Amino acid sequence: MLCAPRLGGLGARAATTWPGRAGLGGLGTRIRARRVSTSWSPVGAAFNVKPQGRRLDVFGERRGLFGVPELSAPEGFRIAQESALRTADLLVERACALPPGPRTVLIFDELSDSLCRVADLADFVKIAHPKPAFREAAEEACRSIGTAVEKLNTNVELYQSLQKLLADQTLVDSLDPETRHVAELFMFDFEISGIHLDKEKRKRAVDLNVKILDLSNAFLMGTHFPNKVEKRLLPEHIHQNFTVSGNHVIIDGLHAEAPDDLVREAAYKIFLYPNAGQLKCLEELLSSRDLLAKLVGYPTYSHRALQGTIAKNPETVMQFLEKLSDKLSERTIKDFEMIRRMKMKLNPQNSELMPWDPPYYSGVIRAERYNIEPSLYCPFFSLGACMEGLNILFTKLLGLTLYAEQPARGEVWCEDVRKLAVVHESEGLLGYIYCDFFQRADKPHQDCHFTIRGGRLKEDGDYQLPVVVLMLNLPHPSRNLPTLLTPGMMENLFHEMGHAMHSMLGRTRYQHVTGTRCPTDFAEVPSILMEYFANDYRVVNQFARHYQTGQVFYATLDQIYHGKHPLRASTTDILRDTQEKFYGLPYVPNTAWQLRFSHLVGYGAKYYSYLMSRAVASMVWKECFQQDPFNRAAGERYRREMLAHGGGKEPMLMVQGMLQKCPSIDDFVSALVSDLDPDFETFLMDSE
């Protein structure tokens, strides 16, 4: 999953944009290679042991979070934020005074970079730092920068400086394709923010954007907030599966993998019990998004959100989802019947299949089919072994090596965070990945990729190295044992590392379109492609998954919520009707799953992107990597055609370049359906 500030415009493009030259061509001839460091160490061993020796660095220089000197204390966020806003004011003056030309785009990108370097970092710290003071300071910085961005997106004088450039055809023709595309993206951001409106309506647009930002943060926090119930209301023998506080049992998740049916049922009904405040927050968020979309000239929020994506409009998305649902309906019935039989076998007294059953019983079926148990295969998947496997894959495929590097004192927010240097065999150091992999109190229960600093070509010819964080929730290694991963955990690790490689290898000239800042339905392609590597028969066999059925339901619900307003019914009634039509399992009364659907914030109207990206990834895998997942020529082509461009090229053009054809909606649907075939070629190859 991608996480980035949803600032739009001059802020980070909601995981949405890029320009395009690979490191070896274009920019590569002008970027100085970074030398290797003698302090780097092998990556595998760094993850199989508890961190040692960091306490010995008490006399070392304290650098602050991510090496930013100001961030050695929470107050540093205010200093960083004020500095960024002062820099932004100066850059706005320069942009407005400068004659239109290529430098206009460079200044706009520098403006975007100055704000994003604070906002991106703060967006991560506000949810991940273990100390409340840091989280609160980061939250305030996010709000301050976000408000400034919305005002800049309706700054008429700034808009006119860019409009003069794009209105002069001679000047436009003189721009290289990358610069022209980035200029058009900045212009598009102005337009969807209502720059064409009168002064009063522009202010209304800013106010709505700020309100949406606040509602999004509030809703996101609410999705993770636990529910509690009096102990006496639950059977005593299941109390041990949850946190007990006084006379209450705390439920902080769905416990979907718990073998006890009653534990899963209790978790589902209690965790998803409707919260009136969260329900009101969601309704206000959806309504505000609809008002903003109509104010700036779109019929629905979906129409606004899908501009520039592979799908382009909600009509195409719904066509895709309905065709996929039709193709999957017969398979869904068979899948659920197989799961129902397994439940009857293990629990004949209570064999009705309920929404809390599929994740657990599909895992049981997988284990039975391949005669494997987690206790048998987990030791082969130590975290260190997986990291070393990724390292081998990246070296063979892309010429990259991952090295562990000791962080400076104060550079990381928790002692078990590992820092990786990403080094290319000829280009040198490409960037840094901070790996926040282990569970801790108050850490969100989600796996995410965060951009901390985007890459860009600086005026002195040096390259601003990208910095990202990968956040997982893995168990800690013990004194005698490393962290052991299930296949699902390993797949998540590969997925998030796919995002990281996108960030490292998107060597774009402009920060505004670096790495994963591209259309959302393309941004998930590199991460999902990595899942194919994780599940390749040469790594581990897989059971045909039923994930598509659930994702079609979630994606359809997302489209309805962001479609025509006022909604035809309450969000819960819409959930019930959509679940019964697209999922095939009954709605459970007095539950409101949508209030835990955190993707409605970052992926509003775009949740379908997981499915469309998976379709593209499936085609790329079968076309380029299935025969030989270590094929260097295919890896270089993948970097050149897809990873290198960030958001600086239309996503469908990147897909066409990689596949040598323009896929249709039917092609996307067929790719997803073929992945579920029991005689999928992977299995045939495995049996030879």
Side-chain angles (χ1 to χ4, degrees):
M1 171 185 173
L2 279 172
C3 278
R6 308 301 164 188
L7 300 179
L10 292 164
R13 292 185 59 77
T16 304
T17 358
W18 13 350
R21 310 233 173 117
L24 292 173
L27 295 179
T29 57
R30 303 196 300 275
I31 298 173
R32 293 191 286 271
R34 305 284 182 134
R35 290 183 296 175
V36 298
S37 168
T38 56
S39 67
W40 291 335
S41 58
V43 69
F47 287 87
N48 272 352
V49 296
K50 284 181 172 291
Q52 299 289 331
R54 207 163 287 171
R55 62 184 180 276
L56 300 178
D57 193 31
V58 293
F59 300 110
E61 178 187 0
R62 188 172 183 84
R63 293 189 185 174
L65 292 172
F66 298 102
V68 179
E70 296 89 343
L71 299 184
S72 57
E75 299 74 30
F77 274 104
R78 180 180 52 78
I79 298 169
Q81 146 196 330
E82 290 174 354
S83 175
L85 293 175
R86 283 195 302 271
T87 300
D89 288 342
L90 292 173
L91 289 168
V92 169
E93 287 181 18
R94 284 176 59 191
C96 294
L98 195 72
R103 283 212 39 88
T104 304
V105 184
L106 285 171
I107 292 173
F108 265 72
D109 189 65
E110 200 175 337
L111 176 57
S112 173
D113 183 59
S114 69
L115 297 170
C116 286
R117 289 182 67 164
V118 177
D120 287 348
L121 193 157
D123 197 58
F124 168 72
V125 172
K126 75 178 184 182
I127 69 164
H129 203 286
K131 295 183 178 179
F134 270 97
R135 294 199 300 269
E136 290 162 11
E139 175 72 46
E140 178 54 36
C142 282
R143 194 177 193 284
S144 176
I145 298 290
T147 301
V149 165
E150 298 306 343
K151 289 179 179 176
L152 287 172
N153 285 340
T154 54
N155 183 315
V156 175
E157 191 177 2
L158 187 62
Y159 160 73
Q160 288 173 343
S161 69
L162 186 64
Q163 187 185 44
K164 289 174 186 174
L165 170 63
L166 292 174
D168 188 324
Q169 193 58 48
T170 302
L171 282 175
V172 170
D173 291 342
S174 71
L175 302 177
D176 62 84
E178 179 182 23
T179 300
R180 177 175 178 173
H181 186 68
V182 173
E184 290 169 345
L185 289 172
F186 278 122
M187 179 58 73
F188 172 69
D189 290 328
F190 276 121
E191 291 169 351
I192 66 169
S193 296
I195 195 68
H196 55 287
L197 303 174
D198 60 41
K199 184 176 180 180
E200 184 180 336
K201 288 182 178 178
R202 286 200 306 274
K203 183 180 183 306
R204 174 69 175 145
V206 170
D207 292 343
L208 274 170
N209 270 307
V210 172
K211 182 180 181 182
I212 288 167
L213 187 64
D214 289 342
L215 288 168
S216 295
N217 287 333
F219 182 78
L220 195 57
M221 293 294 290
T223 62
H224 302 299
F225 199 76
N227 278 342
K228 65 181 181 180
V229 65
E230 292 183 31
K231 283 196 300 187
R232 63 181 178 81
L233 298 177
L234 292 180
E236 188 173 345
H237 74 276
I238 70 170
H239 289 182
Q240 63 185 13
N241 294 277
F242 309 111
T243 301
V244 177
S245 177
N247 292 323
H248 290 88
V249 174
I250 310 298
I251 313 292
D252 62 357
L254 292 174
H255 292 255
E257 304 296 333
D260 189 326
D261 288 357
L262 191 56
V263 170
R264 296 195 311 279
E265 179 181 356
Y268 189 96
K269 290 180 175 179
I270 296 169
F271 189 64
L272 298 183
Y273 190 80
N275 176 287
Q278 183 77 340
L279 184 60
K280 182 181 178 183
C281 183
L282 175 59
E283 290 170 348
E284 282 192 46
L285 175 60
L286 296 177
S287 175
S288 297
R289 283 175 168 173
D290 182 67
L291 287 172
L292 176 64
K294 287 173 177 166
L295 181 65
V296 299
Y298 292 91
T300 70
Y301 183 80
S302 282
H303 284 89
R304 179 181 184 266
L306 297 180
Q307 292 291 303
T309 62
I310 292 176
K312 298 191 182 302
N313 57 65
E315 292 77 19
T316 301
V317 172
M318 287 307 298
Q319 181 188 10
F320 168 61
L321 294 174
E322 286 168 0
K323 283 190 173 187
L324 182 57
S325 180
D326 288 345
K327 290 281 188 180
L328 291 175
S329 60
E330 189 174 330
R331 292 169 181 271
T332 300
I333 293 170
K334 290 180 180 178
D335 274 359
F336 282 150
E337 182 54 37
M338 180 165 42
I339 295 170
R340 187 176 286 108
R341 287 198 301 271
M342 177 57 73
K343 184 175 182 181
M344 182 177 291
K345 175 181 173 182
L346 297 181
N347 188 1
Q349 273 73 43
N350 183 22
S351 59
E352 182 183 3
L353 193 63
M354 298 301 290
W356 51 82
D357 290 327
Y360 171 70
Y361 285 108
S362 60
V364 173
I365 292 169
R366 183 188 300 114
E368 184 180 83
R369 173 167 292 194
Y370 293 107
N371 195 29
I372 52 177
E373 290 292 334
S375 60
L376 297 178
Y377 57 62
C378 271
F380 295 101
F381 296 133
S382 75
L383 176 57
C386 289
M387 293 302 296
E388 197 52 52
L390 281 164
N391 200 25
I392 292 168
L393 176 63
F394 293 149
T395 299
K396 291 186 175 182
L397 205 61
L398 300 163
L400 301 178
T401 303
L402 306 176
Y403 292 101
E405 180 175 306
Q406 180 77 6
R409 192 164 67 99
E411 185 177 350
V412 296
W413 48 100
C414 188
E415 69 165 11
D416 57 21
V417 173
R418 271 64 160 185
K419 180 183 180 183
L420 301 183
V422 181
V423 183
H424 189 270
E425 60 190 22
S426 61
E427 298 169 48
L429 180 62
L430 297 185
Y432 289 104
I433 303 170
Y434 289 83
C435 299
D436 187 356
F437 283 176
F438 301 105
Q439 298 165 347
R440 63 175 175 272
D442 296 326
K443 184 179 179 182
H445 293 282
Q446 59 189 46
D447 299 339
C448 298
H449 164 281
F450 294 83
T451 297
I452 302 300
R453 184 177 71 200
R456 70 182 180 104
L457 184 65
K458 298 192 287 189
E459 289 192 60
D460 62 3
D462 205 354
Y463 199 78
Q464 176 172 293
L465 295 180
V467 176
V468 305
V469 172
L470 298 188
M471 188 168 74
L472 305 176
N473 277 274
L474 304 177
H476 286 268
S478 66
R479 183 183 295 265
N480 301 316
L481 282 174
T483 294
L484 302 178
L485 307 189
T486 65
M489 291 175 184
M490 185 180 78
E491 185 176 278
N492 287 351
L493 170 63
F494 273 59
H495 178 103
E496 301 305 334
M497 195 59 78
H499 284 312
M501 288 301 106
H502 199 177
S503 293
M504 295 297 111
L505 291 170
R507 309 301 276 182
T508 56
R509 180 184 306 175
Y510 300 103
Q511 179 274 157
H512 191 61
V513 291
T514 185
T516 58
R517 301 205 212 283
C518 58
T520 312
D521 54 7
F522 183 83
E524 293 293 337
V525 173
S527 54
I528 292 173
L529 181 60
M530 284 300 298
E531 294 178 25
Y532 284 88
F533 285 97
N535 286 307
D536 181 70
Y537 74 102
R538 283 149 284 200
V539 181
V540 63
N541 287 322
Q542 64 176 8
F543 165 64
R545 294 158 292 181
H546 70 280
Y547 59 81
Q548 278 95 336
T549 305
Q551 286 201 345
V552 171
F553 158 47
Y554 307 148
T556 304
L557 187 69
D558 176 42
Q559 286 298 308
I560 294 171
Y561 281 171
H562 290 99
K564 187 177 180 181
H565 276 240
L567 296 174
R568 58 177 169 76
S570 71
T571 58
T572 302
D573 287 342
I574 291 171
L575 167 76
R576 181 197 61 220
D577 296 345
T578 308
Q579 179 171 329
E580 290 175 357
K581 179 178 179 182
F582 285 92
Y583 192 47
L585 290 180
Y587 165 76
V588 178
N590 295 315
T591 63
W593 177 85
Q594 78 276 19
L595 303 184
R596 300 290 185 178
F597 192 14
S598 60
H599 286 75
L600 288 173
V601 173
Y603 282 63
K606 298 179 183 179
Y607 192 79
Y608 78 93
S609 298
Y610 282 107
L611 288 166
M612 191 160 282
S613 290
R614 184 171 292 279
V616 174
S618 174
M619 289 187 274
V620 171
W621 169 257
K622 292 165 190 168
E623 176 75 22
C624 305
F625 296 111
Q626 184 167 285
Q627 291 298 321
D628 179 7
F630 303 109
N631 187 306
R632 180 62 179 271
E636 291 294 344
R637 179 178 159 204
Y638 173 51
R639 178 183 181 181
R640 183 177 64 251
E641 296 291 347
M642 298 187 83
L643 295 181
H645 299 288
K649 191 174 181 180
E650 289 291 332
M652 189 57 88
L653 293 179
M654 291 187 276
V655 174
Q656 284 180 244
M658 192 67 191
L659 298 176
Q660 298 297 297
K661 73 169 189 175
C662 181
S664 65
I665 292 296
D666 288 333
D667 291 329
F668 290 145
V669 171
S670 296
L672 290 172
V673 172
S674 71
D675 279 1
L676 296 179
D677 287 340
D679 57 349
F680 187 40
E681 189 175 346
T682 292
F683 295 105
L684 294 178
M685 294 170 68
D686 191 31
S687 63
E688 291 176 355

